[in-house]
Amino acid sequence: MNTPAQSRNSSMIQLSEVRKNYGTYEVLKGINAEVGRGEVVVICGPSGSGKSTLIRTVNRLEEIQSGSITCEGNNIHRQMAARELNRLRSRIGFVFQSFNLFPHLSAIDNIAMSPIRVKGVAREEAYRKATQLLERVGLADKAQMFPGQLSGGQQQRVAIARALAMEPPVMLFDEPTSALDPEMVGEVLAVMKSLASDGMTMMCVTHEMGFARDVADRVWFIDDGQIIETAPPEDFFSNPQTGRAKRFLSDLR
Ligand code: ADP
Ligand code: MG
């Protein structure tokens, strides 16, 4: 784990002139940004501004038209064999709004599967680790439950544990609490907060501005396919620089 003191020293993710079209519609219009090792970035902006597309390009769930994205110095969008791409992807955890657990596998099987299949971890070791991860997200007693038997908040915590099982140095979150009933938001944010304090590098698309204030090192405000502000949360919330960010923040209240 990285200590916060190390966090400003080295770059984990770099995005350079990233452009992305859907057909003739340009959704990312030249993104330049960097995430430091151990840094927590919260990405916010209006609906349809390109937040999901941006974060999905980082582990190549979406292709890009031009520019480059590197993670730990590896160019994610270069031509490479599927096997190599899978290896790079396993270094970048992704948590979806809709959990995306395997419905026919128990919580613990969901967590242990990828380490066994993708990394060749021995079964016993994978299940030992999965048990620890379930404890970490507060679900030690739910190991044998299937996703359909768990609440949304519990499913999302299993999804986070599943991503962590691959021991990724980076975690990406796309509105991880947006599909949850309000009373379950806190338990998921608490897990994310504990990851952040352990030094995880995180990119989080979220509308949870309390989380941004408390946990983010920097906020990126994206509008119409461009990052138009990046600032520490205390500056972003008290003194947004653009009219668009001011409007966005006042609409939240
Ligand atoms: P956000 O996450 O900020 O709400 P998205 O990245 O999901 O925004 O979408 C940005 C824009 O791209 C929107 O106008 C959306 O309609 C469009 N878009 C997203 N996904 C697709 C797709 N698969 N095909 C065509 N257009 C898309
Ligand atoms: Mg989105």
Side-chain angles (χ1 to χ4, degrees):
M1 291 287 172
N2 305 301
T3 62
Q6 287 176 299
S7 67
R8 311 298 182 273
N9 293 342
S10 61
S11 163
M12 178 68 86
I13 294 167
Q14 277 184 312
L15 299 111
S16 173
E17 287 300 323
V18 173
R19 290 179 184 273
K20 161 84 186 167
N21 307 331
Y22 288 117
T24 57
Y25 179 65
E26 191 170 41
V27 50
L28 300 179
K29 301 178 177 175
I31 301 283
N32 292 292
E34 189 171 359
V35 183
R37 198 171 282 272
E39 188 177 26
V40 178
V41 171
V42 162
I43 301 168
C44 64
S47 178
S49 58
K51 304 179 299 294
S52 293
T53 304
L54 174 62
I55 201 164
R56 290 167 63 87
T57 63
V58 173
N59 72 344
R60 206 164 159 178
L61 290 171
E62 298 285 351
E63 297 294 327
I64 60 177
Q65 265 61 51
S66 63
S68 74
I69 302 174
T70 63
C71 181
E72 300 180 296
N74 294 299
N75 182 350
I76 301 293
H77 286 264
R78 70 174 191 274
Q79 275 211 325
M80 65 182 104
R83 197 188 166 83
E84 172 72 355
L85 179 58
N86 285 338
R87 196 188 64 79
L88 289 181
R89 274 204 182 123
S90 74
R91 307 276 301 156
I92 307 171
F94 200 104
V95 176
F96 299 86
Q97 182 175 334
S98 51
F99 329 135
N100 292 11
L101 295 172
F102 301 110
H104 57 292
L105 296 181
S106 66
I108 197 161
D109 288 346
N110 262 281
I111 298 169
M113 191 183 80
S114 287
I116 294 170
R117 290 230 186 132
V118 179
K119 281 177 111 181
V121 173
R123 281 187 73 82
E124 197 180 331
E125 168 66 13
Y127 278 88
R128 196 184 55 77
K129 182 88 192 298
T131 302
Q132 286 176 352
L133 285 166
L134 278 168
E135 276 166 25
R136 170 151 197 201
V137 300
L139 294 172
D141 55 336
K142 305 290 186 208
Q144 302 307 328
M145 299 286 220
F146 287 84
Q149 300 172 303
L150 299 172
S151 72
Q154 291 168 340
Q155 289 183 60
Q156 192 61 299
R157 285 185 282 151
V158 173
I160 293 171
R162 183 179 62 175
L164 292 173
M166 296 297 279
E167 303 186 324
V170 181
M171 289 279 286
L172 311 179
F173 296 85
D174 190 2
E175 299 204 29
T177 61
S178 294
L180 300 177
D181 293 334
E183 69 270 23
M184 293 168 189
V185 169
E187 68 199 49
V188 171
L189 293 178
V191 170
M192 292 170 66
K193 194 168 182 172
S194 88
L195 277 181
S197 52
D198 283 348
M200 178 63 80
T201 306
M202 296 165 59
M203 292 174 77
C204 314
V205 176
T206 180
H207 298 297
E208 292 294 334
M209 293 297 121
F211 175 83
R213 273 179 201 276
D214 292 348
V215 181
D217 295 300
R218 269 190 307 160
V219 175
W220 296 358
F221 177 69
I222 179 166
D223 191 25
D224 195 20
Q226 292 180 303
I227 297 175
I228 62 171
E229 296 198 27
T230 69
E234 54 275 22
D235 297 344
F236 179 71
F237 291 112
S238 64
N239 190 20
Q241 298 296 300
T242 61
R244 288 187 279 180
K246 283 177 193 157
R247 260 196 312 284
F248 173 78
L249 288 170
S250 70
D251 286 350
L252 289 177
R253 288 183 191 117

